[in-house]
Amino acid sequence: YKVTGEAMGMFGALTGDTNPLHVDANFAKEHGFIERITRSKIMGMMLGEKLSVRKIYGETLAELGKTRNDIVAVDADLSCSTMTCLFQEAFPDRFFNAGIAEQDAICTAAGLATCGKTAFVSTFAMFATGRAYDQIRNTVAYSNLNVKIVATHAGVTVGEDGASHQMLEDIGLMRAIPN
């Protein structure tokens, strides 16, 4: 993995910047993200350690939760796979498990966003983009709500879970939505 590319993408998602290639250095320094990436992640890369992007996501979300009370996490019964369990452990009152109901997870995140929360909803790519496409398009995007959809296990990376959990068209679906 290229840490800088992942970090830049995360900054875009976490700060609400519509261009994920823009990095707000002041925000990053304020929340210690640059230091964390520099010390632990890059050193691991130098030593040949493989990094888990979803673990970095879970750790970063939990870390941001310490300084931003507006951040909430919604998961579709996969928190140990998406690593939002790290946020849940730290902030159980700001974590919502929608169960195996991805459409509901998206709409719950949308509702929380209408109340001023920055909602992160996480599940596998197949379910986040395929099963909940209507809710993303008509509820989140149409209203331009502050919902961050973090889809893990994209493509054919889910292995033994099989074809029903694999998604190749997720990027195509989301790129067609204007915002």
Side-chain angles (χ1 to χ4, degrees):
Y1 297 105
K2 292 182 180 177
V3 174
T4 45
E6 295 300 331
M8 289 167 61
M10 269 190 218
F11 281 121
L14 297 175
T15 62
D17 186 349
T18 56
N19 184 345
L21 296 177
H22 292 164
V23 176
D24 184 334
N26 292 329
F27 178 85
K29 288 177 186 174
E30 179 182 333
H31 296 291
F33 192 68
I34 289 174
E35 182 177 328
R36 199 164 45 255
I37 288 292
T38 301
R39 286 190 185 151
S40 62
K41 309 309 179 214
I42 292 179
M43 287 306 294
M45 287 286 293
M46 290 169 60
L47 298 173
E49 173 190 339
K50 288 188 177 183
L51 301 177
S52 166
V53 175
R54 60 190 172 116
K55 185 176 179 194
I56 294 170
Y57 164 65
E59 291 171 352
T60 303
L61 188 60
E63 196 67 28
L64 282 172
K66 293 176 183 177
T67 58
R68 293 196 44 197
N69 293 327
D70 66 313
I71 292 179
V72 295
V74 181
D75 203 281
D77 209 30
L78 291 167
S79 63
C80 289
S81 294
T82 64
M83 299 308 291
T84 57
C85 59
L86 300 174
F87 185 88
Q88 179 185 19
E89 290 170 12
F91 308 101
D93 57 327
R94 293 191 280 157
F95 178 85
F96 304 90
N97 184 353
I100 305 172
E102 290 78 9
Q103 298 95 330
D104 186 48
I106 295 292
C107 288
T108 298
L112 290 163
T114 65
C115 298
K117 302 295 182 187
T118 300
F120 287 79
V121 59
S122 306
T123 188
F124 287 3
M126 168 60 202
F127 309 127
T129 59
R131 187 169 287 161
Y133 180 79
D134 289 349
Q135 288 72 24
I136 294 168
R137 180 184 178 271
N138 295 330
T139 305
V140 175
Y142 186 76
S143 301
N144 202 25
L145 296 175
N146 193 10
V147 173
K148 315 302 183 197
I149 302 165
V150 181
T152 65
H153 298 78
V156 293
T157 61
V158 292
E160 64 275 354
D161 289 331
S164 66
H165 286 60
Q166 296 172 351
M167 182 71 150
L168 298 174
E169 59 272 27
D170 53 341
I171 294 172
L173 283 169
M174 295 299 104
R175 294 282 297 164
I177 298 174
N179 60 341

